[in-house]
């Protein structure tokens, strides 16, 4: 929002502009001429044609992300890789879980806890066993003495391939996955209530455990003199493990709120009113604490750099490590059941409506993807607690009754390829444009053009073929303009349409982008083709309209000026001379010379245009836009004003019919009031006094072009 001073300054500028316009027009003497120029500078058709299929696709995508109303993707769409995150089923693991579910009474039991780490996937079961899979989805071990009723309530795997299993009875078992051997079991007498959460701490040989009562413990292995001795005798060190109580039940820590291990030797958990980061070594202490005074903390998650907490089930906040302030990133519409970082920049949230939402952790309100999980076989909370999801290596895993899913972010390159494979080319092109990380933009467009040409309708289907190539041209222009790949547009794409004899579609697609000033330069061969196309159609006014928006300094000056003079397109002629040569007088002379050869009606219209141009130029405004001319400094503006007045007050104009001061006399004969207004405005602006003009007027008896040439003005090359 602007400050009061800025608003006041803006209001004063608007008032000054209104005063300038009022003095410029002297009420409404040239209003009809101004309306004609305004019709020339706008084109409702061209503005409508700007909405190419690719433009509409990108606008819809932007609106969805801005409003936080992404369409809910099906699991099939999420599994295809077309979304920002891919949700894939681990098929072999899921088949095994499905078989187990069929034999509830005699098999390993239903899944009850999950832990995924860099080497193994551990799934605890309702009958006290732990199934350990590798990442090729092969069963490596089944840990547990025998299937029984002591369900595994939580599980975790260490980098050294040690598995910790917490049971409903309150016991904790440590297993060696490689050897399949039990290392140590802490009996139920050690913990007062069943274990609800387990995490191996990073960088230290310890397990952090939370009881169902909320008591937090550290189970630490005995220390070793060196790393070599540790690896040689790690079983012995874990067998000598000790249990230390970090927080008792009075701290209010809830196992439901999650337990994470963050940086080295740090654990993250929460009570209803605070989120904690606890350092485990060299001494146990609170490293960071983030109180919550505005609600109750329901869930907590941690990554390498950030801690996220869910307040009152719907308000998601993210805090940077070692900072005392966080930010709200979104408000959920439904209460959350699960919260986990997917990577350091994205959070995954599963709500009670069975929707999976991936949220940007650093951009408030930015949804990445929403996936429908209504078909996912959720486990009963009473059986599994809240250990049914786990994070590992920039991926998040979700455990169901007979299924294990993996959610991982998709790079833009992988998403584009998935969209291409499914035939969603417009979505792929839109994604490539909007994602700065996608590098091969030109290669993707080449593939699209090649495919579109190969699958074009037959020439016999005239209207269908025209529609096809019109859409293809609009997409190519939109893509190249937005990607700033004009060289590709004016070389390969232009040549492709020319070889197919479809340049009409290509050139028609350029016009709206030129008028919208999204395309301000054209290659010489493209400009020549544009002129030829509209000339054949008898619509050269479209060329004039385009020239008012193009940077004329790169055009073929001789070709363009010849065309404009031949077809009497004087508005564009004024712009070409002014911007291409800094010559403001020659086009005025050309217009007045033509006006003298016309009947009264046409002559009046040309004189009105000339007077409008003079008034704009005297005030340093671009014609016909009426905007300040950025190319005119104060000295140039003074010189321009003098030249215009000296030209109008020529005593012996070379193209007049013998009368003195022929220009002024001719204009006054057609439009006396506006002519006197223009001269008055010149004098009011302090232009060079006309007294003694006949003695040193360089325009007397000379062409304006020759005066410009004498001053060293040459056409641009």
């Amino acid at each position: 929002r602007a400050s009061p001073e800025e608003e006041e300054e803006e209001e004063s500028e608007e008032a000054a502009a209104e005063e300038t316009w009022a003095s410029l027009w002297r009420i409404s003497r040239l209003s009809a001429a101004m309306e004609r120029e305004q019709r020339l500078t706008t084109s409702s058709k061209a503005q409508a044609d700007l909405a190419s299929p690719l433009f509409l696709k990108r606008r819809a995508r932007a609106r969805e992300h801005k409003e936080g109303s992404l369409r809910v993707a099906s699991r099939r769409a999420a599994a295809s890789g077309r979304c920002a995150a891919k949700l894939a089923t681990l098929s072999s693991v899921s088949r095994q879980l499905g078989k187990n579910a069929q034999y509830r009474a005699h098999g390993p039991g239903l899944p009850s806890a999950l832990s995924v780490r860099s080497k193994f996937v551990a799934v605890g079961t309702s009958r006290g066993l732990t199934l350990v899979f590798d990442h090729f989805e092969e069963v490596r071990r089944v840990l547990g003495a025998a299937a029984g009723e002591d369900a595994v309530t939580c599980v975790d795997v260490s980098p050294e391939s040690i598995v910790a299993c917490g049971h409903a009875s309150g016991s904790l078992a440590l297993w060696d996955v490689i050897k399949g051997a039990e290392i140590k079991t802490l009996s139920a007498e050690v913990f007062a209530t069943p274990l609800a959460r387990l995490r191996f701490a990073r960088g230290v040989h310890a397990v952090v455990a939370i009881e169902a009562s909320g008591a937090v413990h550290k189970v630490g292995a005995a220390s070793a003199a060196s790393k070599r001795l540790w690896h040689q005798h790690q079983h012995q060190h874990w067998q000598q493990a000790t249990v230390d109580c970090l927080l008792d039940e009075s701290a209010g820590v809830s196992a439901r709120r999650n337990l994470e291990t963050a940086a080295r030797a740090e654990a993250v958990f929460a009570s209803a009113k605070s989120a904690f980061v606890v350092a485990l070594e060299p001494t146990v202490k609170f490293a960071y604490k983030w109180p919550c005074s505005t609600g109750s903390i329901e869930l907590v998650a941690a990554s390498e750099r950030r801690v996220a907490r869910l307040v009152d089930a719907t308000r998601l906040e993210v805090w940077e490590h070692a900072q005392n302030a966080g930010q709200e990133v979104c408000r959920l519409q439904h209460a959350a059941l699960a919260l986990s970082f997917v990577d350091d920049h994205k959070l995954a949230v599963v709500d009670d409506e069975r929707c999976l939402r991936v949220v940007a952790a650093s951009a408030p309100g930015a949804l990445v993807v929403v996936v429908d999980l209504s078909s996912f076989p959720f486990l009963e909370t009473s059986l599994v607690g809240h250990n049914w999801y786990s994070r590992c290596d920039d991926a998040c895993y979700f455990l169901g009754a007979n299924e294990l899913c993996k959610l991982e972010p998709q790079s833009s390159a992988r998403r584009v390829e998935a969209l291409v494979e499914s035939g969603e080319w417009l979505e792929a092109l839109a994604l490539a444009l909007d994602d700065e990380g996608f590098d091969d933009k030109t290669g993707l467009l080449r593939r699209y053009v090649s495919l579109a040409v190969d699958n074009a309708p037959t020439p016999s289907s005239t209207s269908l073929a025209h529609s096809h190539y019109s859409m293809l041209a609009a997409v190519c222009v939109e893509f190249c303009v937005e990607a700033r790949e004009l060289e590709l547009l004016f070389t390969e794409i232009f040549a492709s349409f020319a070889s197919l004899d479809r340049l009409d579609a290509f050139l028609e697609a350029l016009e709206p982008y030129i008028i919208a000033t999204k395309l301000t330069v054209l290659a010489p061969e493209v400009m020549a083709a544009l002129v030829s196309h509209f000339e054949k159609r008898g619509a050269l006014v479209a060329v004039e309209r385009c020239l008012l928006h193009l940077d004329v300094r790169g055009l073929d000056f001789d070709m363009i000026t010849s065309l404009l003079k031949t077809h009497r397109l004087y508005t564009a002629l004024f712009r070409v001379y002014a911007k291409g040569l800094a010559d403001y007088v020659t086009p005025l002379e050309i217009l007045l010379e033509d006006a003298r050869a016309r009947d009264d009606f046409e002559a009046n219209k040309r004189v009105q245009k000339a007077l409008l141009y003079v008034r704009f130029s005297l005030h340093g405004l671009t014609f016909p836009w009426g905007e300040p001319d950025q190319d005119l400094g104060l000295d140039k503006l003074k010189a321009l004003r003098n030249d215009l007045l000296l030209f109008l007050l020529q005593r012996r104009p070379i193209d007049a019919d013998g009368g003195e001061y022929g220009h002024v006399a001719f204009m006054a004969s057609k439009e006396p009031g506006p002519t006197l207004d223009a001269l008055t405005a010149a004098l009011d602006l302090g232009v060079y006094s006309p007294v003694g003009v006949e003695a040193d007027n360089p325009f007397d008896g000379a062409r304006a072009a020759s005066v410009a040439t004498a001053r060293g003005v040459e056409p641009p090359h």
Side-chain angles (χ1 to χ4, degrees), residues 568-628:
R568 304 180 184 90
L569 305 176
Y570 293 113
T571 301
L573 189 69
F574 284 134
R575 176 174 172 80
V576 170
Y577 268 93
K579 295 299 180 182
L581 291 175
D583 182 353
Y584 293 80
V585 178
T586 299
L588 181 60
E589 181 181 64
I590 295 170
L591 173 60
L592 291 176
E593 184 175 354
D594 181 49
R596 289 189 176 90
R598 301 293 156 190
D599 58 32
D600 287 344
F601 178 75
E602 290 297 327
N604 283 1
K605 287 174 61 176
R606 283 161 172 72
V607 168
Q608 289 172 6
K609 185 188 288 282
L611 288 169
L612 272 177
Y613 172 71
V614 170
R615 299 296 297 278
F616 271 85
S617 300
L618 288 174
H619 285 81
L621 304 176
T622 57
F623 182 77
W625 306 107
E627 299 171 351

Side-chain angles (χ1 to χ4, degrees), residues 257-318:
R257 296 185 181 94
N258 210 345
L259 165 66
E260 297 280 2
T261 50
R264 185 184 187 277
E266 289 183 349
V268 181
F269 44 89
S271 66
K273 292 299 180 182
S274 295
F276 311 96
V277 175
V278 175
L280 303 176
E281 287 192 354
T283 58
V284 177
K285 64 178 181 179
F286 286 107
Y288 313 110
K289 182 178 180 180
W290 299 288
C292 180
S293 58
T294 58
S296 175
I297 299 175
E298 302 291 338
L299 292 170
V300 66
S303 69
E304 293 294 337
R305 294 173 46 205
R306 297 182 171 96
V307 171
R309 67 185 189 187
L310 189 71
V311 180
D312 291 339
T314 59
R315 191 171 82 241
L316 186 57
E317 300 175 348
V318 175

